[in-house]
Amino acid sequence: AQKITQTQPGMFVQEKEAVTLDCTYDTSDPSYGLFWYKQPSSGEMIFLIYQGSYDQQNATEGRYSLNFQKARKSANLVISASQLGDSAMYFCAMRGSLTFGNEKLTFGTGTRLTIIP
Amino acid sequence: DVKVTQSSRYLVKRTGEKVFLECVQDMDHENMFWYRQDPGLGLRLIYFSYDVKMKEKGDIPEGYSVSREKKERFSLILESASTNQTSMYLCASSLPAQGQNTEAFFGQGTRLTVV
């Protein structure tokens, strides 16, 4: 079984500060992928960043970086220099493999981030 | 531009009705997923499919079934709708991973209300 845990239901952060959103996961798959998605109030799901379980380096995409600690089974999202437009729900997700090509994509409960001017 | 299209944005159905939610993707993706999203519970996986006619139960399959007769179309069926199935339903698709980053692309969602 695979499970994603996001323990922060909501966060308030001052504009321009950095913010870390927590994500821990549990899986028995030796190979898996970790994703972060953003869902603004409009409801669309926006892909932010990906980390493969065998990737040696932490993933980065612009202001987003993923702090991947494999031994601790954590995949925290770091947003640098937060902006008002970062206010949204953020979901951590994991893709594992049941068999080759048969992949389950599981999401956490999300963190609602609010950026304060 | 990649696209996942859900047939309805809003739907109101009566208790006991059979409900079909349709999802079509134009990216030739093997994987397709159905989720429901509820406040405080995040996205919960109902069913997924990794090939035509292949399906796997997700975490909350009870009360739902799915159909995938063609690669581009994945249907979610509520055999007898109940009020506790009132929710936002999201469809997604992706390529098989094979060790690579294969992000899932989402539809716009269907807000279903069962009265």
Side-chain angles (χ1 to χ4, degrees):
Chain A
Q2 58 189 52
K3 186 177 168 65
I4 292 279
T5 302
Q6 294 180 256
T7 56
Q8 306 153 310
M11 286 186 72
F12 291 84
V13 172
Q14 206 74 38
E15 191 180 6
K16 298 191 176 69
E17 286 185 357
V19 56
T20 298
L21 304 181
D22 294 340
C23 173
T24 57
Y25 61 91
D26 192 23
T27 181
S28 54
D29 277 325
S31 175
Y32 50 89
L34 296 155
F35 302 81
W36 278 92
Y37 281 81
K38 172 183 178 180
Q39 188 182 45
S41 55
S42 58
E44 62 190 303
M45 292 287 283
I46 302 168
F47 165 73
L48 296 178
I49 197 166
Y50 166 82
Q51 179 84 41
S53 57
Y54 291 116
D55 293 342
Q56 296 296 316
Q57 308 261 26
N58 284 344
T60 59
E61 290 285 350
R63 292 187 300 112
Y64 304 108
S65 60
L66 200 152
N67 183 1
F68 181 47
Q69 297 187 48
K70 195 170 182 178
R72 296 181 62 186
K73 294 190 173 179
S74 77
N76 298 340
L77 177 70
V78 180
I79 306 174
S80 63
S82 56
Q83 303 170 357
L84 295 178
D86 293 332
S87 293
M89 278 292 283
Y90 289 80
F91 291 100
C92 180
M94 176 171 64
R95 183 200 62 232
S97 296
L98 299 180
T99 57
F100 181 77
N102 182 0
E103 297 147 7
K104 184 178 182 182
L105 180 62
T106 303
F107 283 75
T109 52
T111 296
R112 182 169 296 283
L113 176 64
T114 303
I115 306 299
I116 306 163
Chain B
D1 211 12
V2 296
K3 208 158 183 185
V4 178
T5 304
Q6 295 182 228
S7 52
S8 305
R9 194 73 196 263
Y10 299 94
L11 215 48
V12 179
K13 295 292 181 181
R14 294 198 180 279
T15 301
E17 273 193 79
K18 189 168 186 175
V19 181
F20 293 85
L21 302 184
E22 306 286 348
C23 176
V24 177
Q25 50 97 0
D26 65 1
M27 296 165 282
D28 203 34
H29 284 170
E30 280 79 2
N31 295 334
M32 295 190 76
F33 308 87
W34 273 108
Y35 297 90
R36 64 177 283 176
Q37 182 176 6
D38 301 287
L41 298 177
L43 276 72
R44 293 181 292 168
L45 182 63
I46 305 171
Y47 269 97
F48 63 106
S49 168
Y50 56 96
D51 203 348
V52 175
K53 295 192 189 295
M54 306 304 289
K55 62 185 179 186
E56 291 278 351
K57 292 181 180 178
D59 299 313
I60 52 162
E62 298 79 18
Y64 303 94
S65 62
V66 290
S67 171
R68 192 157 180 211
E69 296 297 319
K70 293 185 177 181
K71 190 176 185 181
E72 66 270 19
R73 187 179 297 270
F74 192 36
S75 303
L76 180 69
I77 303 153
L78 287 66
E79 296 290 342
S80 177
S82 65
T83 54
N84 62 14
Q85 292 178 309
T86 291
S87 186
M88 172 68 85
Y89 290 86
L90 291 167
C91 174
S93 72
S94 76
L95 287 167
Q98 301 177 15
Q100 302 297 316
N101 171 14
T102 52
E103 63 179 279
F105 294 86
F106 282 81
Q108 76 277 30
T110 296
R111 185 164 293 282
L112 172 67
T113 302
V114 183
V115 297

